[in-house]
């Protein structure tokens, strides 16, 4: 049985105090027991949020990015070692906003994934197509390429530490959600690809999240799809009531 996950991506939102208050509220909320919750916070918030959650088995912390080098003269950047030292366990990598606004390529993200794993942290690897690609019917090819180039350099042992998030770019922050069928189709294709590369057992145990305008009102239907193992949630993760409702939608 693979792990079901509700991950929040706060992006560049919430002051430090607001972030701590939100983490506290989620920590104290009535939540379904077997769901892993991950809070993807701004780097500034990692240590404070990790402190609040230090005894929690069920709520974990993720950074939203890291640099590909371990240290050095990279003003303004954050290293994996720094992230680990805050108590965070996960790093979101390859988000479409990083690809779009910072020119991140599959090759660069692949390097970061290796580094993150070498520090004992777990990557949440984002993939997903833009609207013209879907309209041209090339979305499955594109996501297959992202998954192959971003992840398939990993050993089977390392691959099993990865969480995948399929996030169609046209659904992120737009209020337009992929239909449960569209999400399921893509997730099944990703799982098949993993099975071809690493075998059925590993494919079956890989958590594949859907992201893109997940809300309390659509989460249940999305999470009910056989290959959708949870969500990576942006806007609706910024308020405790909506995020807890999503956590309780499995
Ligand atoms: P959204 O963002 O839920 O606001 O669409 C999802 C994401 O970018 O991870």
């Amino acid at each position: 049985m693979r792990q079901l996950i509700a991950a929040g991506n706060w992006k560049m939102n919430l002051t430090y105090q607001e972030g701590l208050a939100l983490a506290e509220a989620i920590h104290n909320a009535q939540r379904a027991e077997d769901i892993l919750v991950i809070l993807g916070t701004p780097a500034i918030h990692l240590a404070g949020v990790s402190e609040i959650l230090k005894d929690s088995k069920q709520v974990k912390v993720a950074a939203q990015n890291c640099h590909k080098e371990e240290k050095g003269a990279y003003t303004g950047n954050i290293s994996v070692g720094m992230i680990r030292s805050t108590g965070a366990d996960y790093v979101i990598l390859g988000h479409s906003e990083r690809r779009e606004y910072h020119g991140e390529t599959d090759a660069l993200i692949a390097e970061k994934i290796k580094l993150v794993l070498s520090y004992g942290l777990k990557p949440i690897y984002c993939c997903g197509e833009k609207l013209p690609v879907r309209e041209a019917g090339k979305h499955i090819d594109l996501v297959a390429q992202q998954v192959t180039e971003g992840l398939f350099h990993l050993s089977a042992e390392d691959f099993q530490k990865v969480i995948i998030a399929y996030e169609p770019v046209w659904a992120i922050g737009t209020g337009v959600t992929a239909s449960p069928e569209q999400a399921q189709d893509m997730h099944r294709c990703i799982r098949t690809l993993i099975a071809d590369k690493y075998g059925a057992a590993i494919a079956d145990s890989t958590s594949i999240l859907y992201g893109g305008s997940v809300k309390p009102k659509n989460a249940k239907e999305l999470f009910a799809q056989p290959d959708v193992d949870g969500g990576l949630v942006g806007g609706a993760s910024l308020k405790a009531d909506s995020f807890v409702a999503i956590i309780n939608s499995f």
Side-chain angles (χ1 to χ4, degrees), residues 92-97 99 106 109 113 124-130 139-151 162-170 172 186-187 189-191 193-194 207-212 232:
I92 298 171
L93 289 170
H95 191 280
S96 63
E97 288 149 19
R99 293 176 188 264
D106 291 330
I109 301 158
I113 286 176
I124 301 173
Y125 178 65
C126 303
C127 53
E129 81 287 357
K130 293 185 185 174
H139 47 293
I140 290 177
D141 290 348
L142 181 95
V143 171
Q145 184 188 330
Q146 290 174 331
V147 169
T148 303
E149 291 183 6
L151 296 176
V162 174
I163 297 166
I164 295 176
Y166 167 60
E167 301 201 300
V169 181
W170 45 270
I172 295 178
M186 184 61 86
H187 285 224
C189 289
I190 294 172
R191 205 177 299 287
L193 202 64
I194 299 168
S207 297
I208 307 177
L209 315 183
Y210 167 80
L232 179 55

Side-chain angles (χ1 to χ4, degrees), residues 9 11 95 97 167 171-174 211-215 232-236:
N9 177 8
K11 308 191 180 183
H95 191 280
E97 288 149 19
E167 301 201 300
I172 295 178
T174 58
S213 297
V214 176
K215 309 282 177 213
L232 179 55
V233 185

Side-chain angles (χ1 to χ4, degrees), residues 1-4 34 204-205 207 229:
M1 184 58 191
R2 45 188 179 260
Q3 178 66 58
L4 301 176
D34 48 348
D204 275 345
S205 63
S207 297
D229 308 311

